Amino acid sequence: MSAVKPYSDSELTKKEQVEQMFDNISGKYDKLNHILSMGIDVGWRKKVVKMARSANPENILDIATGTGDLAIMLAKSTDAKITGFDLSAGMLEVGRKKIAVQKLEERIEMIQGDAEQMPFADNHFDCITVAFGVRNFENLKQGLDEIYRVLKPGGKFIILEFSQPESFPMKQLYSFYSKHILPLIGKKISKDQSAYTYLPESVKAFPYGEEMKNILKNSNFIKTTDKKLTFGISSIYESLK
C-alpha cells in the first residue's frame, strides 16, 4: 500500500499527519468540500444513506465522520442510533455544532479515535459507513479487519471513496482538475496547500474497482459489489459480514 502522506517534510506518521491536516482545515472543510466537488458529493452520500436504510439498522457506525454530514443524513433517514468516529478533534468539534443546530444530539454521538484500534465490542454495529476515509488509513488491512470485528454477522459495510475515471475525456479532464485546479482553490481557501495536494496524490495511489473488491474479500467480507459514480470519479463498495 502506498505511503502517500499530507506533509512530505514531516517526520510524523501518516496517521499523525492526517489528524494534523484535518485539524488545520476543519473550519473551512465543509465550504471547500462542496466547492471542489461542485455539490455532487451530496448526491453521492444520499446513495450511501439509501443503501444503509435498506438494512433497517438499529445502530450505525460512521467512520471518518469528519464534520458529520453523512451521520446527520443517516440520522434523518433512519431510526438508528448513529456513532460518528474520527481521528480529528477539530473536525468533530465542527460536527458537534452542526448536530446541535439540527437538534440531533440524542441520536448522534461523536467520538474521537483511531479506526485501526476502535473501543467497541465485537459484533456491535448493524451497519458501518466510511465516506472518503479508508484512503487515509495508515494500515488499510488493519482498519478493514477492525471494521469486520465490530460489525455484526450479516451486517452491512458501505465505503464511499474517490476512484479514477478511465474513459476519454473524463480521465484527462479529471487529471487536469486534480493536479492544477483543486490544489489552487484548496490553498486559497484553507491556507493549507499540502492538504489539497495530498488529496489527488492519495486518490491516485489508492486501489479501486476490482482491486479494492479483492482487498475487501481478503478481509473476509462477502457479496462485495462496486458502483461507479459520476463517470468513475468516486465509487461505492457494499459488503456483508
Side-chain angles (χ1 to χ4, degrees):
M1 198 57 55
S2 169
V4 175
K5 300 175 184 177
Y7 307 107
S8 57
D9 58 347
S10 172
E11 293 182 4
L12 296 174
T13 65
K14 177 175 178 176
K15 198 173 294 178
E16 291 166 335
Q17 289 188 37
V18 165
E19 181 179 2
Q20 180 184 350
M21 177 186 76
F22 281 114
D23 281 346
N24 288 346
I25 66 174
S26 58
K28 302 287 178 64
Y29 178 80
D30 283 341
K31 180 180 180 181
L32 261 169
N33 206 24
H34 297 313
I35 289 173
L36 293 171
S37 70
M38 295 173 280
I40 299 170
D41 62 305
V42 176
W44 294 341
R45 285 185 176 87
K46 284 180 179 176
K47 292 182 187 299
V48 172
V49 170
K50 188 176 180 181
M51 287 179 175
R53 191 172 59 216
S54 71
N56 296 314
E58 292 182 8
N59 59 351
I60 300 174
L61 173 63
D62 182 39
I63 296 172
T65 195
T67 63
D69 276 358
L70 182 55
I72 289 167
M73 289 172 74
L74 287 164
K76 287 181 174 180
S77 300
T78 72
D79 295 323
K81 163 74 177 171
I82 316 294
T83 302
F85 194 75
D86 200 279
L87 201 57
S88 166
M91 295 285 275
L92 289 169
E93 192 54 40
V94 174
R96 288 188 186 102
K97 289 174 184 172
K98 286 161 65 173
I99 289 163
V101 168
Q102 300 276 348
K103 296 182 168 51
L104 289 169
E105 299 100 319
E106 296 298 312
R107 297 282 313 286
I108 306 172
E109 182 181 12
M110 299 291 256
I111 299 173
Q112 184 182 9
D114 178 0
E116 294 167 36
Q117 293 178 302
M118 292 190 282
F120 307 116
D122 294 358
N123 309 315
H124 186 69
F125 295 97
D126 301 307
C127 181
I128 298 177
T129 57
V130 190
F132 309 115
V134 291
R135 197 182 70 257
N136 296 322
F137 287 2
E138 187 162 56
N139 185 319
L140 180 58
K141 179 74 167 71
Q142 189 174 321
L144 292 175
D145 288 347
E146 186 69 344
I147 288 166
Y148 187 87
R149 179 184 70 78
V150 303
L151 185 64
K152 287 180 182 176
K156 186 176 285 191
F157 175 37
I158 308 166
I159 295 172
L160 170 60
E161 189 52 86
F162 288 113
S163 46
Q164 297 179 56
E166 295 177 335
S167 301
F168 178 86
M170 186 52 70
K171 179 179 180 179
Q172 288 74 15
L173 287 169
Y174 182 70
S175 177
F176 179 83
Y177 175 76
S178 298
K179 192 172 181 179
H180 301 287
I181 308 298
L182 190 151
L184 196 68
I185 299 172
K187 180 187 178 184
K188 189 173 179 63
I189 297 177
S190 74
K191 310 302 183 193
D192 187 326
Q193 182 176 12
S194 296
Y196 290 91
T197 303
Y198 165 73
L199 174 60
E201 287 176 352
S202 63
V203 170
K204 192 174 181 181
F206 197 74
Y208 65 96
E210 287 300 317
E211 188 181 354
M212 187 64 196
K213 284 166 69 177
N214 287 331
I215 289 169
L216 286 162
K217 287 172 188 173
N218 287 337
S219 287
N220 298 314
F221 290 100
I222 60 171
K223 297 183 179 178
T224 299
T225 61
D226 70 317
K227 181 181 178 66
K228 290 183 173 64
L229 306 175
T230 317
F231 307 104
I233 291 173
S234 71
S235 296
I236 294 179
Y237 304 91
E238 185 179 29
S239 303
L240 298 178
K241 176 173 175 177

